[in-house]
Amino acid sequence: MKNTLRQVFHSPKFLVGFIIFVAVLLLAILYPLFNPGNPLQQIGLGTFAPPGTYVSLYDAVGTETSTFRLDDADAKRLASVLSDEDRVSMVNWLTAVGVDVTGLDITDTDALLEIWNANYDQSIRPEGMTNAQRNSYISLNNRLQSLGASETLTVMQPDEEGEMEEVTDIESTDYVNVGDVTNVITLPLGTDNFGRDVLKELASAIGTSLMIGLVAGCIATFIGLVLGLLSGYVGGVLDDIVMFITNIFTVIPSFVLLILINYSIGQENRGAMVVALVIGLTSWTWTTRSVRSQVISLRNRDHVNLSKLSGHSLVRIVLTDILPYIASYVVMAFILQISSAILSEAQLSLLGLGPKTTEVPTLGLMMNWAMLYSAHLGGKWWAYFPVIGVIALISFSLNLMNTGLDQVFNPTLRD
Amino acid sequence: MKTRKLLSLVLAIAMLLSVAGVATAETAVADLPRNETLYFGGQQWGTVNSWNPVGTNQNNAMGTTTNPSGSRTIMFETLYMFNLLDGSMVPLLAEGDPVWADDLSTVTVTLNDAAKWSDGTAVTSNDVIRTWEISLQLNNTAGANYGPFIESIEAVDDLTFTINLAKNEEGTPVNPLKVEDFLVATFVAQAAWLDTLEERNGGDTVAMLNDEALDAPYTGPYGPYVSNDQLVAFVRNDNYWGQDESMWGKLPVPKYIAHTIYADNAVTEVAFRQGEIDVGQIFVPNVQDLWEEEGLPVSGYMMEEPYGICLTMPTAWYNLNNPVLQDATLRKAIAIAVDYDAIIENAITNQSPTFEEVPRSCMNPTEVEQAMYDHEAVADLQWTGNDVEGAIAMLEEAGYVDTNGDGWRETPDGEEITLTAVCPNGWTDWQAAIELVAAAGANIGINITTVYPESSTYSTVYSNPNQTEYDIFMQSPDGAGPSQPWGRIRQFMSSDFVGLENNFSGNYGQYSNERIDEILELIPITTDEEELKALYTEAVEIYLTDVPSFSLMYRPQFFHFVNESVWTNFPYDGDGTNIPPTDCTDGYGIAALYNLQLVEG
């Protein structure tokens, strides 16, 4: 046993797969410890906040400031409001309404603003301009209004009588240290359409999906193994019956079967474990077929016949004389079953037939909601790409481990 | 080697064939020059069944959609067009305003003498009368909706007819408002063609309802052109009567109107972004990103939130069959604890005004309806949500405490409270909203679990007047129309629906209140503005006090987003045209088709 394990861990493929798998597993186990709380809690109002660190503006106002005089601060501030394209389109608008702009240097912000403010009227819609363009000019104009503001912003709040009272002044050269601000939240993967922390949800979803994979894999492997062992070893009528059922299940595409069963169970009854059960119950066929064929090749070996002659029971023969010879194969099949069960859950959830949404996050559900809220069309990569990445990593690592095991156990594949 | 050559030959042929197949499929589309065709999206799903103006199950979204907030008049026309911006009725086949008798017992309508069928014959009062008779005979949507309110329609002369309203025992008209709905919602079909329809189907009701009716003459500016499983297109009738100075004075601008049949909303959204669709009736989450961040030539009716005009409000209804929910205190406590801001920000991504902006009532957020009740009078009853402390205080005071220590409150009698909050599976914005209702329950110690059945199961259960499975469930009342907001108050609270089997119409929670029933009878026959306002205000007051249901957000009846890649000059807020954003086809919204321009360059 020890020797086998050492062999297994000497296989580079297995090792790489194992390390990736453990890393993903650790994320699922450790992240919730480090960042506790309900992964489905809605923390943000609004959909898809991008990844990053968020500083409470409210708290930042009262925080002690330091003054930095940076040369490029004003230029940056200006560029964030008024890009080069904006300057060109401002001139386009002015030309369209017939303002003479000859001799205007568009890099001269003051001159440009002056002529813009003197002439821009949002009620005018030049001939040939679409409403979308008109809207973009209105919002550009709104942004430009902040440029005219002074160097100092004043924060006011109403006192008891409702009079505005000055709280503090903010100079354009004031900076606060992020560490000093009371409330700062870091969202490494932003939020999803419900305003939930994606990384926290992801960590929890990995756990659920692995659990679904494990349960489904165990069920499928168990059924496949028992049926395969019995039909292969006993043969005869039992073999015919088992193979008949197996063939029926093989010709009906299992994914279609999965969809139909999940649909008829109904959303309200589809917990994560029910989905795992259904996946397990529909994916045992190829394990049965391959275990059976291996058992057939084993059952006439000398040591099996010897056992038979010694009067050992069927159970004992199967467990001690046959199972150990196919154990390595079963383990590999099991790993692949886990991997395919995780993929099945993701596919089902993507079709809206996965576990019900309220209780636990799963990888498929996260993708489902991201898709329903058009994250893939709107470039909100953080809502779905990490999920796809994790699914890919899990199935890649499991397959790599499987290949590694294959090389160890199957002498013909050894280098 | 030979086999391999043969194989590659077969493959090459197969490839050529498939390319040719794609090419033929595209010819149907290529026949429509892009700069003469206005493409729609989000209306037509699946192949058209029929073009039958008096049929049912036509599945012809562009051709035969009727609705009191504005029937789609590109092919068949109504007597009047409803303009939901100001609540007015603009004559279409009719001329001038309808003339009401002083006691509201009859209404007389004159037809426009310029109005012609596509076969060149004139539209007469006989067409209107024959259409009404056949609607009653077939009990189609128009017959079933307006049958109880119209006694008969009589011709005065070729162009004038009088509608006699149905009367109750006291001899007062049952409901003049519903008759106004009739005037804006029902299509007129040709009498001669209706005879043909009856003859060729031997008078068989089902056969007549399902007749494909490709030969039906129409009065509208567009007729059928292409219809297959990929596309449905209409072509302009260049002899359209509406060119007459008494109507539009010109033809609508696009020569063709087309609707590609897409698989689902997501595919439609992709096509809309790419400019393959000009007018999109689709919910695009965070639609502002399309123009603000991606710079697409896309706009809504308004440039600021909520980007469109909301006409209805998805509402959570309490099922009063559950004895626990018969206490208005519990109903109100749950309602005030719900975080509506979160619903509006996350579920509908701000395409709804907030309840601070438009306080809750039975009225939709349009100015016309908002002006119908006294906001001040009910201000004390309002709530804007997320008031967890207030809700807890209300419950504590009424004796809702956790007596058995399971963490959830029990009724003052010590009965356990477990409620289900339900909406159909896959209705994303509703699911997201109902999720937050359950969360509110958890915050105030009321046990609410969410259930998302398939939509077929859902409609069977909620429409059953005796159901006890769903305690809080979602449904939207009707949008705009001449009979609103009366119709909506009726949907929220009228006893008419209590105990009604297969009730898809309103008051799904079996609420009843005698005063409301009186008010509902009074409103349609009240003409004095002040009196009317007092009645509406009283109804809102009862609604906010008894909380038989609570709205979770506002929502457009139809989404109206346009992509100005090819066409421009669509209506927008403040353009001075008074054309409502109803996808350029519904009610007075069709006027937009006459103003369109091609984008230059």
Side-chain angles (χ1 to χ4, degrees), chain A residues 282-330:
Chain A
T282 49
S283 54
W284 48 267
T285 49
W286 62 264
T287 313
T288 309
R289 293 179 70 95
S290 31
V291 167
R292 171 179 169 274
S293 58
Q294 301 222 5
V295 173
I296 289 176
S297 78
L298 280 170
R299 77 172 168 201
N300 287 327
R301 295 250 181 111
D302 290 346
H303 71 280
V304 179
N305 285 331
L306 208 59
S307 261
K308 273 190 201 165
L309 288 175
S310 318
H312 289 158
S313 70
L314 176 115
V315 178
R316 180 167 168 188
I317 295 172
V318 167
L319 289 183
T320 58
D321 297 326
I322 291 183
L323 193 55
Y325 289 84
I326 58 167
S328 62
Y329 174 78
V330 173

Side-chain angles (χ1 to χ4, degrees), chain B residues 268-285:
Chain B
T268 310
E269 190 185 326
V270 174
F272 180 66
R273 283 165 178 264
Q274 291 170 346
E276 289 164 19
I277 291 172
D278 302 303
V279 183
Q281 198 286 105
I282 44 170
F283 170 56
V284 182

Side-chain angles (χ1 to χ4, degrees), chain B residues 220-441:
Chain B
Y222 292 90
Y225 185 60
V226 179
S227 171
N228 52 43
D229 57 359
Q230 294 173 38
L231 176 96
V232 54
F234 294 76
V235 63
R236 191 174 59 202
N237 172 12
D238 286 347
N239 297 318
Y240 174 51
W241 72 269
Q243 296 166 81
D244 191 85
E245 280 309 318
S246 64
M247 194 59 231
W248 307 105
K250 55 185 170 182
L251 285 172
V253 181
K255 187 161 173 23
Y256 304 96
I257 280 190
H259 193 304
T260 312
I261 297 168
Y262 295 104
D264 55 30
N265 227 24
V267 186
T268 310
E269 190 185 326
V270 174
F272 180 66
R273 283 165 178 264
Q274 291 170 346
E276 289 164 19
I277 291 172
D278 302 303
V279 183
Q281 198 286 105
I282 44 170
F283 170 56
V284 182
N286 296 310
V287 68
Q288 70 280 9
D289 288 354
L290 266 58
W291 56 84
E292 279 175 11
E293 285 179 19
E294 296 170 41
L296 295 174
V298 169
S299 60
Y301 182 66
M302 293 183 243
M303 73 169 286
E304 304 286 337
E305 292 161 2
Y307 313 112
I309 292 190
C310 291
L311 293 181
T312 182
M313 48 284 227
T315 295
W317 307 69
Y318 286 115
N319 182 3
L320 304 194
N321 288 335
N322 183 342
V324 169
L325 286 174
Q326 283 168 7
D327 181 8
T329 313
L330 176 62
R331 298 202 295 264
K332 187 149 187 173
I334 296 173
I336 67 173
V338 174
D339 189 349
Y340 301 98
D341 289 343
I343 291 180
I344 286 162
E345 291 239 16
N346 292 71
I348 187 102
T349 63
N350 284 326
Q351 292 174 41
S352 157
T354 64
F355 288 100
E356 280 94 17
E357 289 157 358
V358 183
R360 52 184 66 245
S361 65
C362 304
M363 283 71 181
N364 72 23
T366 57
E367 275 175 38
V368 203
E369 287 202 17
Q370 286 298 313
M372 286 181 170
Y373 79 102
D374 183 356
H375 289 236
E376 290 296 310
V378 296
D380 288 347
L381 296 167
Q382 289 291 353
W383 66 91
T384 51
N386 209 10
D387 181 7
V388 176
E389 283 110 53
I392 291 176
M394 266 173 87
L395 291 173
E396 297 275 338
E397 199 187 337
Y400 286 88
V401 282
D402 179 16
T403 43
N404 63 6
D406 63 353
W408 301 109
R409 290 173 197 275
E410 278 80 47
T411 65
D413 304 334
E415 203 182 321
E416 281 200 29
I417 307 175
T418 46
L419 302 175
T420 51
V422 195
C423 81
N425 186 30
W427 295 38
T428 41
D429 50 339
W430 283 19
Q431 276 177 283
I434 210 95
E435 222 33 51
L436 289 159
V437 173

Side-chain angles (χ1 to χ4, degrees), chain A residues 42 44-48 125 128 130-132 134-135 138 193-195 263 267-268 352 357-358 372-374 377-378 380, chain B residues 269-270 273 285-286 289 297 299 303 342 345-347 425 428-429 432 435-436 450-453 564 568-569 572 600:
Chain A
Q42 187 179 20
L45 274 193
T47 52
F48 303 121
R125 185 173 153 204
T130 65
N131 188 34
R134 172 184 163 271
N135 287 346
I138 294 176
N193 61 300
F194 286 105
Y263 184 80
Q267 170 87 16
E268 58 272 34
T357 56
T358 46
L372 288 174
Y373 274 80
S374 305
L377 297 178
K380 323 284 189 213
Chain B
E269 190 185 326
V270 174
R273 283 165 178 264
N286 296 310
D289 288 354
S299 60
M303 73 169 286
E345 291 239 16
N346 292 71
N425 186 30
T428 41
D429 50 339
E435 222 33 51
L436 289 159
T450 54
V451 181
Y452 304 120
E564 292 168 295
T568 182
N569 222 15
Y572 60 86
E600 285 169 17

